[in-house]
Coordinates of all heavy atoms in Angstrom, one line a residue:
Q1 N 94.8 9.0 -17.8 CA 93.8 10.0 -17.4 C 93.2 10.6 -18.7 O 93.8 11.4 -19.4 CB 94.4 11.1 -16.6 CG 93.4 12.1 -16.0 CD 93.9 12.9 -14.9 OE1 95.1 12.9 -14.7 NE2 93.1 13.7 -14.3
P2 N 91.9 10.1 -19.0 CA 91.3 10.6 -20.2 C 90.8 12.1 -20.0 O 90.7 12.5 -18.9 CB 90.1 9.7 -20.4 CG 89.8 9.2 -19.0 CD 91.1 9.1 -18.3
P3 N 90.4 12.8 -21.1 CA 89.9 14.1 -20.9 C 88.7 14.2 -20.0 O 87.7 13.4 -20.2 CB 89.5 14.5 -22.3 CG 90.4 13.7 -23.2 CD 90.5 12.4 -22.5
G4 N 88.8 15.0 -19.0 CA 87.7 15.1 -18.0 C 87.5 14.0 -17.0 O 86.6 14.0 -16.3
G5 N 88.4 13.0 -17.1 CA 88.3 11.8 -16.2 C 89.3 11.7 -15.2 O 90.2 12.6 -15.0
E6 N 89.3 10.6 -14.4 CA 90.2 10.4 -13.4 C 91.4 9.6 -13.9 O 91.3 8.9 -14.9 CB 89.6 9.7 -12.2 CG 88.5 10.5 -11.5 CD 87.9 9.7 -10.3 OE1 88.3 8.6 -10.0 OE2 87.1 10.3 -9.6
R7 N 92.5 9.6 -13.1 CA 93.7 8.8 -13.5 C 93.4 7.4 -13.0 O 93.2 7.1 -11.8 CB 94.9 9.4 -12.8 CG 96.2 8.8 -13.3 CD 97.4 9.5 -12.7 NE 97.4 10.9 -13.0 CZ 98.4 11.7 -12.6 NH1 99.5 11.2 -12.0 NH2 98.3 13.0 -12.9
V8 N 93.4 6.4 -13.9 CA 93.0 5.0 -13.6 C 94.1 4.1 -14.0 O 95.0 4.3 -14.9 CB 91.7 4.6 -14.3 CG1 90.6 5.5 -13.7 CG2 91.8 4.7 -15.8
F9 N 94.1 2.9 -13.4 CA 95.1 1.9 -13.6 C 95.0 1.3 -15.0 O 93.9 1.0 -15.5 CB 94.9 0.8 -12.6 CG 95.8 -0.5 -12.8 CD1 97.1 -0.5 -12.4 CD2 95.3 -1.6 -13.4 CE1 97.9 -1.6 -12.6 CE2 96.0 -2.7 -13.6 CZ 97.4 -2.7 -13.2
V10 N 96.1 1.0 -15.7 CA 96.2 0.4 -17.0 C 96.9 -1.0 -16.9 O 96.4 -2.0 -17.3 CB 96.9 1.3 -18.0 CG1 97.0 0.6 -19.3 CG2 96.1 2.6 -18.2
A11 N 98.1 -1.0 -16.4 CA 98.9 -2.2 -16.3 C 100.0 -2.0 -15.3 O 100.4 -0.9 -15.0 CB 99.5 -2.5 -17.7
S12 N 100.6 -3.1 -14.8 CA 101.7 -3.1 -13.9 C 102.6 -4.3 -14.1 O 102.1 -5.3 -14.7 CB 101.2 -3.0 -12.4 OG 100.4 -4.0 -12.1
I13 N 103.8 -4.3 -13.5 CA 104.7 -5.3 -13.6 C 105.5 -5.4 -12.4 O 105.9 -4.4 -11.8 CB 105.6 -5.2 -14.9 CG1 106.5 -6.4 -15.1 CG2 106.4 -3.9 -14.8 CD1 107.2 -6.4 -16.5
S14 N 105.8 -6.6 -11.9 CA 106.6 -6.8 -10.7 C 108.0 -6.4 -10.9 O 108.5 -6.2 -12.0 CB 106.5 -8.3 -10.3 OG 107.1 -9.1 -11.3
W15 N 108.8 -6.3 -9.8 CA 110.1 -5.8 -9.9 C 111.0 -6.6 -10.8 O 112.0 -6.1 -11.4 CB 110.7 -5.7 -8.4 CG 111.1 -7.1 -7.9 CD1 110.2 -7.9 -7.2 CD2 112.3 -7.8 -8.0 NE1 110.9 -9.1 -6.8 CE2 112.2 -9.0 -7.3 CE3 113.6 -7.4 -8.5 CZ2 113.2 -9.9 -7.2 CZ3 114.6 -8.4 -8.4 CH2 114.4 -9.6 -7.7
N16 N 110.8 -7.9 -10.8 CA 111.6 -8.8 -11.6 C 111.0 -9.2 -13.0 O 111.6 -10.0 -13.7 CB 111.9 -10.1 -10.9 CG 110.7 -10.9 -10.5 OD1 109.6 -10.5 -10.8 ND2 110.9 -12.0 -9.7
G17 N 109.9 -8.6 -13.3 CA 109.2 -8.8 -14.6 C 108.5 -10.1 -14.7 O 108.0 -10.4 -15.8
V18 N 108.4 -10.8 -13.7 CA 107.7 -12.2 -13.7 C 106.2 -12.1 -13.8 O 105.6 -12.8 -14.5 CB 108.2 -13.0 -12.5 CG1 107.3 -14.3 -12.5 CG2 109.6 -13.3 -12.6
T19 N 105.6 -11.1 -13.1 CA 104.2 -11.0 -13.0 C 103.7 -9.7 -13.6 O 104.3 -8.6 -13.4 CB 103.7 -11.1 -11.6 OG1 104.3 -12.3 -11.0 CG2 102.2 -11.3 -11.5
T20 N 102.7 -9.8 -14.4 CA 102.0 -8.6 -15.0 C 100.5 -8.6 -14.7 O 99.9 -9.6 -14.5 CB 102.3 -8.5 -16.5 OG1 101.7 -9.7 -17.1 CG2 103.7 -8.4 -16.8
Y21 N 100.0 -7.4 -14.7 CA 98.5 -7.2 -14.5 C 98.0 -6.2 -15.4 O 98.7 -5.2 -15.8 CB 98.3 -6.7 -13.0 CG 98.8 -7.7 -12.0 CD1 100.1 -7.5 -11.5 CD2 98.1 -8.7 -11.5 CE1 100.6 -8.4 -10.5 CE2 98.6 -9.6 -10.5 CZ 99.9 -9.4 -10.0 OH 100.4 -10.2 -9.1
Y22 N 96.7 -6.3 -15.8 CA 96.1 -5.4 -16.8 C 94.7 -5.1 -16.4 O 94.0 -6.0 -15.8 CB 96.1 -6.1 -18.2 CG 97.5 -6.4 -18.7 CD1 98.0 -7.6 -18.5 CD2 98.2 -5.4 -19.4 CE1 99.3 -7.9 -19.0 CE2 99.5 -5.7 -19.9 CZ 100.0 -6.9 -19.7 OH 101.3 -7.2 -20.2
A23 N 94.3 -3.9 -16.7 CA 92.9 -3.5 -16.6 C 92.1 -4.3 -17.6 O 92.6 -4.6 -18.7 CB 92.7 -2.0 -16.7
D24 N 90.9 -4.6 -17.3 CA 90.0 -5.4 -18.2 C 89.9 -4.7 -19.6 O 89.8 -5.3 -20.6 CB 88.6 -5.6 -17.6 CG 88.6 -6.6 -16.5 OD1 89.6 -7.4 -16.4 OD2 87.7 -6.7 -15.7
S25 N 89.9 -3.4 -19.6 CA 89.7 -2.6 -20.8 C 90.9 -2.8 -21.8 O 90.7 -2.4 -23.0 CB 89.5 -1.1 -20.4 OG 90.6 -0.6 -19.7
V26 N 92.0 -3.2 -21.3 CA 93.2 -3.3 -22.2 C 93.7 -4.7 -22.4 O 94.7 -4.9 -23.2 CB 94.3 -2.4 -21.8 CG1 93.8 -0.9 -21.6 CG2 94.9 -2.8 -20.5
K27 N 93.2 -5.7 -21.7 CA 93.7 -7.1 -21.8 C 93.6 -7.6 -23.2 O 92.6 -7.4 -23.9 CB 92.8 -8.0 -20.8 CG 93.2 -7.9 -19.4 CD 92.4 -8.8 -18.5 CE 92.7 -8.7 -17.1 NZ 91.9 -9.6 -16.2
G28 N 94.6 -8.2 -23.6 CA 94.7 -8.7 -25.0 C 95.2 -7.7 -26.0 O 95.4 -8.1 -27.1
R29 N 95.3 -6.5 -25.6 CA 95.7 -5.4 -26.5 C 97.0 -4.8 -26.1 O 97.8 -4.4 -26.9 CB 94.6 -4.3 -26.7 CG 93.3 -4.8 -27.2 CD 92.4 -3.7 -27.6 NE 92.0 -2.9 -26.4 CZ 92.3 -1.6 -26.2 NH1 92.8 -0.9 -27.2 NH2 91.9 -0.9 -25.1
F30 N 97.2 -4.6 -24.8 CA 98.4 -3.9 -24.3 C 99.3 -4.9 -23.6 O 98.9 -6.0 -23.1 CB 98.0 -2.9 -23.2 CG 97.3 -1.7 -23.7 CD1 96.8 -1.6 -25.0 CD2 97.1 -0.6 -22.9 CE1 96.2 -0.5 -25.5 CE2 96.5 0.6 -23.4 CZ 96.0 0.6 -24.7
T31 N 100.6 -4.7 -23.7 CA 101.6 -5.5 -23.0 C 102.6 -4.6 -22.3 O 103.2 -3.7 -22.9 CB 102.4 -6.4 -24.1 OG1 101.4 -7.2 -24.8 CG2 103.4 -7.3 -23.4
V32 N 102.8 -4.9 -21.0 CA 103.8 -4.2 -20.2 C 105.1 -5.1 -20.1 O 104.9 -6.3 -19.9 CB 103.2 -3.8 -18.9 CG1 102.8 -5.0 -18.0 CG2 104.2 -2.9 -18.1
S33 N 106.2 -4.5 -20.2 CA 107.5 -5.2 -20.0 C 108.5 -4.3 -19.4 O 108.3 -3.1 -19.3 CB 107.9 -5.8 -21.4 OG 108.2 -4.7 -22.3
R34 N 109.6 -4.9 -19.0 CA 110.7 -4.1 -18.5 C 112.1 -4.7 -18.8 O 112.2 -5.9 -19.0 CB 110.6 -3.9 -17.0 CG 110.8 -5.1 -16.1 CD 110.4 -4.9 -14.7 NE 111.1 -3.8 -14.1 CZ 110.8 -3.1 -13.0 NH1 109.7 -3.5 -12.3 NH2 111.5 -2.1 -12.5
D35 N 113.1 -3.8 -18.9 CA 114.4 -4.2 -19.3 C 115.3 -3.7 -18.2 O 115.5 -2.5 -18.0 CB 114.8 -3.6 -20.6 CG 116.2 -4.1 -21.1 OD1 117.1 -4.3 -20.3 OD2 116.3 -4.4 -22.3
D36 N 115.9 -4.6 -17.4 CA 116.7 -4.2 -16.2 C 118.0 -3.6 -16.7 O 118.5 -2.6 -16.0 CB 117.0 -5.5 -15.4 CG 115.8 -6.0 -14.6 OD1 114.9 -5.2 -14.4 OD2 115.9 -7.1 -14.1
V37 N 118.6 -4.0 -17.7 CA 119.8 -3.5 -18.2 C 119.6 -2.0 -18.7 O 120.4 -1.1 -18.3 CB 120.4 -4.3 -19.4 CG1 121.7 -3.6 -19.9 CG2 120.8 -5.7 -18.9
K38 N 118.6 -1.8 -19.4 CA 118.3 -0.4 -19.9 C 117.5 0.4 -18.8 O 117.4 1.6 -19.0 CB 117.4 -0.5 -21.1 CG 118.1 -1.1 -22.3 CD 117.2 -1.1 -23.5 CE 117.9 -1.8 -24.7 NZ 117.1 -1.8 -25.9
D39 N 117.1 -0.3 -17.7 CA 116.3 0.4 -16.7 C 115.2 1.1 -17.3 O 114.9 2.3 -16.9 CB 117.2 1.3 -15.9 CG 116.7 1.6 -14.5 OD1 115.7 0.9 -14.1 OD2 117.3 2.4 -13.8
T40 N 114.4 0.4 -18.1 CA 113.3 1.1 -18.8 C 112.1 0.1 -18.8 O 112.2 -1.1 -18.8 CB 113.7 1.3 -20.3 OG1 114.8 2.2 -20.3 CG2 112.5 2.0 -21.0
V41 N 110.9 0.7 -18.6 CA 109.6 0.0 -18.7 C 108.9 0.4 -19.9 O 108.9 1.6 -20.3 CB 108.8 0.3 -17.4 CG1 107.5 -0.5 -17.4 CG2 109.6 0.0 -16.2
Y42 N 108.2 -0.5 -20.5 CA 107.5 -0.3 -21.8 C 106.0 -0.6 -21.7 O 105.6 -1.5 -20.9 CB 108.1 -1.1 -22.9 CG 109.6 -0.9 -23.1 CD1 110.5 -1.8 -22.5 CD2 110.1 0.1 -23.9 CE1 111.9 -1.6 -22.7 CE2 111.4 0.3 -24.1 CZ 112.3 -0.5 -23.5 OH 113.7 -0.4 -23.7
L43 N 105.2 0.1 -22.5 CA 103.8 -0.3 -22.7 C 103.6 -0.4 -24.2 O 103.5 0.7 -24.8 CB 102.9 0.7 -22.0 CG 101.4 0.3 -22.0 CD1 101.2 -0.9 -21.2 CD2 100.6 1.5 -21.6
L44 N 103.4 -1.6 -24.7 CA 103.1 -1.8 -26.1 C 101.6 -1.8 -26.2 O 100.9 -2.6 -25.6 CB 103.7 -3.1 -26.6 CG 103.2 -3.6 -27.9 CD1 103.6 -2.6 -29.0 CD2 103.8 -5.0 -28.3

């Protein structure tokens, strides 16, 4: 959610980490991942 703006989608990942999705504005720059053991999701 940018200043003065709405909350918008950036990236997502399936429950098993197999499939990822990205907004056009961040494709090629951002990477979403998850670690089941650590039970943590990341956005690089």
Side-chain angles (χ1 to χ4, degrees):
Q1 187 167 6
E6 297 183 358
R7 192 175 303 186
V8 297
F9 173 81
V10 175
S12 61
I13 186 167
S14 61
W15 72 274
N16 58 5
V18 170
T19 310
T20 57
Y21 303 90
Y22 299 93
D24 288 341
S25 59
V26 305
K27 284 182 180 178
R29 299 190 298 121
F30 290 12
T31 303
V32 62
S33 61
R34 68 190 303 163
D35 187 322
D36 288 342
V37 175
K38 296 180 179 179
D39 202 7
T40 300
V41 183
Y42 304 94
L43 185 68
L44 171 60

